[in-house]
């Protein structure tokens, strides 16, 4: 399902960060260098390693185009590099001179954010290399930063455990305690969450920290409706501080790396663990997905970077059904359609559908004529099978056209509850899911993470009746 295809062992000290562009992989280290590799064969580029920093390099990131690489260091600088020849384009000094722990480009490449050990965060103009805005958090070092996919705001994480949200004018929109003992990383999924009233877009944010937890948040922001950050769930699996987390390019997977030396890959829709990778021999400090292929890089204090490749067919089998894809078929990407085809036993059609750029909307509009004339599927039996499966999706779309009320969805499975029960924390859950949670999670509440006063589960008959009435109305 996932295979280790290459190990890079060129750094002479701990690896701190990994980053992908469409053609390159960048890594940085306590050894003061940044290294660049070609994704075609993972050979190091002739102008690598990049040397300028006088102390440890903590973070590196590519501009969206991949032509510029940014790196930041304990030496108090953020450096921009030309990835084609390795030349320095700019050296930007943190105003306070404090060690710079994190840097991140905005989605439109106009800005670069840098966060420092003294709590200052700077927005730099990425074209003129001039300071644009500056702010600071009240307590702790800034160690994490992530821009929303639409670039309208960004989030920073501090060593004191606070998530702080800033707009593009560096105004603080929100701040709250997210992790005890400190945040280590945060990352947005590039895919917006479906739904949202009156045109609101919702984004999924992951954070991790010294409390050994990975948390999922749902974030929305518009200038009209304001900002909202909602805690959604906690992902289990690690038994030590979690140092890094990252979403896959299609938003379907989340990876995390930990002091427990393991890498865990989650399905973001079911929040189940897909893989646990244990090849690193020391703390896992970095992880990153490639932006266009099923490649994962993980970096460690063992001085190595492992490159992993996911197999599409087995990844489809892991998800096994369209229920684990995005809830609304019309929101499916071409990759989602490929996953669905595999789950239906139609793997041989993946290439044809990709060649014709069939996404969710196109899939729902396919007819027997378009299958034969446009996609050139010659087999009548195969065309009939595809049409039957598409008709099932159309029925599903009709059923889901009215959004399921939040109170009908189990906080653990994120699916419509069939047999809801009330736990001692006051929340309702799907009975089987909560029983399994209590059996494996040491009696903690999925919603509050506090110890449950009791493990008694009481049937929520009122809620079950309400769900059944809603089903009767929406299944007609």
């Amino acid at each position: 399902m996932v295979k280790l295809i290459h190990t890079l062992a060129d750094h002479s000290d701990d690896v701190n960060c990994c980053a992908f562009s469409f053609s390159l992989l960048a890594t940085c280290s306590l050894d003061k260098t940044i290294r660049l590799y070609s994704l075609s064969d993972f050979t190091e580029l002739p102008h690598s390693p990049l040397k300028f920093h006088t102390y440890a390099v903590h973070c590196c990131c590519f501009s969206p185009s991949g032509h510029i690489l940014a790196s930041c260091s304990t030496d108090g600088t953020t450096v921009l590099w030309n990835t084609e020849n390795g030349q320095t384009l700019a050296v930007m000094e943190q105003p306070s001179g404090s060690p710079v722990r994190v840097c991140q480009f905005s989605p439109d490449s106009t800005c670069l954010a840098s966060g420092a050990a003294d709590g200052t965060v700077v927005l730099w103009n990425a074209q003129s290399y001039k300071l644009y805005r500056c702010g600071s958090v009240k307590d702790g070092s800034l160690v994490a930063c992530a821009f929303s996919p639409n670039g309208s705001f960004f989030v920073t994480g501090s060593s004191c455990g606070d998530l702080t949200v800033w707009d593009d004018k560096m105004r603080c929109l929100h701040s709250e305690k997210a992790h005890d003992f400190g945040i280590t990383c945060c990352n947005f999924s590039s895919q917006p969450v479906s739904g949202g009233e009156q045109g609101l877009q919702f984004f999924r944010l992951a954070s991790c920290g010294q409390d050994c937890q990975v948390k999922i948040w749902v974030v929305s922001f518009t200038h009209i409706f304001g900002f909202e950050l909602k805690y959604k769930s906690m992902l289990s699996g690690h038994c030590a501080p979690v140092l890094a987390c990252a979403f896959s390019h299609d938003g379907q997977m989340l990876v995390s790396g930990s002091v427990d030396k393991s890498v865990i890959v989650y399905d973001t829709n079911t929040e189940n663990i897909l893989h646990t990778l244990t090849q690193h021999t020391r703390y896992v400090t970095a992880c990153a997905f490639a932006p266009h292929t099923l490649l994962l890089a993980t970096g460690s204090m063992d001085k190595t970077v492992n490159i992993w490749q996911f197999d599409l067919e087995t990844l489809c089998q892991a998800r096994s059904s369209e229920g684990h894809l995005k809830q609304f078929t019309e929101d499916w990407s071409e990759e989602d359609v490929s996953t669905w085809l595999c789950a239906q036993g139609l793997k041989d059609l993946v290439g044809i559908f990709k060649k014709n750029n069939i996404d969710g909307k196109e899939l729902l509009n396919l007819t027997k004529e378009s299958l034969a004339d446009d996609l050139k599927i010659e087999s009548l039996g195969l065309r009939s099978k595809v049409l039957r499966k598409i008709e099932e999706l159309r029925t599903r779309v009709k059923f889901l056209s009215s959004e399921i009320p939040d109170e009908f969805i189990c906080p653990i499975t994120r699916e419509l509850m069939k047999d809801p029960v009330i736990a001692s924390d006051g929340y309702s859950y799907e009975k089987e899911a909560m029983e399994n949670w209590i059996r494996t999670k040491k009696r903690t509440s999925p919603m509050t993470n506090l110890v449950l006063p009791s493990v008694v589960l009481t049937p929520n008959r009122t809620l079950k009746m309400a769900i059944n009435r809603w089903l009767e109305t929406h299944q007609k």
Side-chain angles (χ1 to χ4, degrees):
M1 187 172 289
V2 59
K3 180 171 63 175
L4 178 63
I5 61 171
H6 207 90
T7 296
L8 305 171
D10 298 308
H11 284 294
S12 60
D13 211 329
D14 302 357
V15 176
N16 284 333
C17 187
C18 309
F20 282 100
S21 71
F22 284 96
S23 60
L24 301 175
L25 169 68
T27 63
C28 64
S29 167
L30 286 182
D31 66 11
K32 311 175 189 177
T33 69
I34 305 101
R35 293 183 179 269
L36 290 173
Y37 302 88
S38 168
L39 292 190
S40 60
D41 55 5
F42 299 106
T43 56
E44 191 166 7
L45 299 190
H47 50 271
S48 177
L50 308 180
K51 296 181 179 180
F52 175 88
H53 293 293
T54 55
Y55 290 97
V57 186
H58 293 291
C59 183
C60 59
C61 62
F62 286 97
S63 64
S65 68
H67 298 314
I68 300 174
L69 178 74
S71 63
C72 60
S73 166
T74 301
D75 63 18
T77 66
T78 302
V79 178
L80 298 185
W81 309 83
N82 183 324
T83 57
E84 294 182 359
N85 56 27
Q87 296 299 307
T88 55
L89 300 173
V91 178
M92 300 176 294
E93 297 184 4
Q94 201 77 2
S96 61
S98 180
V100 186
R101 300 293 303 277
V102 64
C103 57
Q104 196 66 236
F105 279 99
S106 63
D108 62 1
S109 294
T110 59
C111 293
L112 176 75
S114 63
D118 63 353
T120 59
V121 56
V122 175
L123 272 185
W124 303 91
N125 184 310
Q127 278 74 49
S128 66
Y129 314 137
K130 303 288 188 182
L131 189 149
Y132 171 61
R133 290 279 195 277
C134 188
S136 64
V137 296
K138 292 181 179 178
D139 299 300
S141 301
L142 282 184
V143 294
C145 179
F147 277 90
S148 66
N150 64 2
S152 61
F153 62 93
F154 67 100
V155 175
T156 58
S158 79
S159 59
C160 286
D162 295 332
L163 277 177
T164 304
V165 186
W166 313 81
D167 68 8
D168 53 7
K169 300 293 190 296
M170 283 295 294
R171 292 174 294 208
C172 180
L173 302 174
H174 181 82
S175 186
E176 74 171 74
K177 191 79 163 181
H179 291 268
D180 292 334
F181 316 122
I183 290 170
T184 53
C185 187
C186 61
N187 187 251
F188 274 102
S189 169
S190 62
Q191 303 299 317
V193 180
S194 300
E197 298 178 1
Q198 303 183 56
L200 275 173
Q201 269 194 319
F202 295 86
F203 298 102
R204 190 183 281 120
L205 172 73
S207 64
C208 57
Q210 300 287 349
D211 56 5
C212 313
Q213 296 178 357
V214 179
K215 292 184 178 181
I216 304 296
W217 311 78
V218 176
V219 187
S220 66
F221 171 69
T222 67
H223 293 289
I224 299 174
F225 296 101
F227 173 84
E228 188 173 35
L229 173 69
K230 282 187 177 180
Y231 169 73
K232 178 180 177 287
S233 56
M234 182 184 72
L235 306 185
S236 60
H238 288 296
C239 60
V242 186
L243 303 181
C245 61
F247 282 99
S248 60
H249 70 282
D250 60 0
Q252 296 297 301
M253 292 184 289
L254 176 72
V255 64
S256 58
S258 169
V259 169
D260 64 17
K261 307 175 189 176
S262 74
V263 175
I264 296 180
V265 183
Y266 301 90
D267 184 314
T268 56
N269 296 291
T270 65
E271 299 186 351
N272 293 329
I273 293 175
L274 293 175
H275 313 284
T276 301
L277 313 174
T278 57
Q279 276 73 8
H280 284 295
T281 58
R282 294 192 67 195
Y283 301 173
V284 180
T285 52
C287 49
F289 278 102
H292 64 310
T293 59
L294 293 173
L295 286 179
L296 167 68
T298 58
S300 168
M301 289 176 66
D302 63 14
K303 308 176 188 178
T304 69
V305 176
N306 284 335
I307 312 297
W308 309 85
Q309 186 168 48
F310 293 84
D311 179 81
L312 177 60
E313 179 180 0
T314 50
L315 187 62
C316 296
Q317 291 171 352
R319 290 173 183 168
S320 73
S321 74
E322 67 270 23
H324 291 169
L325 291 164
K326 294 174 187 171
Q327 188 180 39
F328 297 99
T329 307
E330 56 265 43
D331 292 333
W332 285 2
S333 65
E334 293 176 26
E335 204 69 48
D336 292 328
V337 172
S338 297
T339 300
W340 175 78
L341 286 168
C342 291
Q344 307 309 314
L346 298 168
K347 179 176 71 73
D348 293 342
L349 296 180
V350 167
I352 296 173
F353 275 60
K354 279 195 169 185
K355 183 179 179 181
N356 288 273
N357 305 115
I358 304 297
D359 59 12
K361 288 181 180 178
E362 294 288 340
L363 180 67
L364 293 174
N365 290 326
L366 289 177
T367 63
K368 61 181 180 181
E369 290 80 15
S370 60
L371 288 173
D373 300 337
D374 300 333
L375 272 61
K376 309 297 183 185
I377 299 175
E378 297 179 359
S379 169
L380 176 61
L382 197 54
R383 291 201 302 270
S384 298
K385 181 177 181 180
V386 173
L387 284 174
R388 285 198 306 273
K389 295 297 182 181
I390 291 173
E391 189 54 42
E392 291 175 8
L393 285 179
R394 289 175 182 143
T395 302
R396 179 174 175 267
V397 169
K398 182 179 179 182
F399 169 66
L400 291 172
S401 59
S402 293
E403 190 173 343
I404 301 172
D406 286 343
E407 61 268 26
F408 295 172
I409 297 175
C410 173
I412 300 173
T413 66
R414 300 306 300 166
E415 295 175 355
L416 185 69
M417 287 185 278
K418 298 176 182 177
D419 189 8
V421 294
I422 303 173
S424 58
D425 61 359
Y427 292 94
S428 291
Y429 305 91
E430 178 64 34
K431 181 181 179 182
E432 182 180 354
M434 191 58 188
E435 287 176 340
N436 182 61
W437 180 276
I438 291 171
R439 188 166 57 251
T440 60
K441 308 296 179 184
K442 299 181 181 179
R443 292 184 53 170
T444 58
S445 164
M447 295 299 287
T448 67
N449 201 36
L450 299 175
V451 176
L452 292 167
S454 167
V455 295
V456 174
L457 302 177
T458 306
N460 192 337
R461 295 187 177 89
T462 303
L463 180 58
K464 187 172 183 178
M465 289 172 60
I467 292 172
N468 289 336
R469 283 195 298 268
W470 184 86
L471 284 170
E472 289 170 4
T473 303
H474 290 81
Q475 283 183 315
K476 292 178 180 179

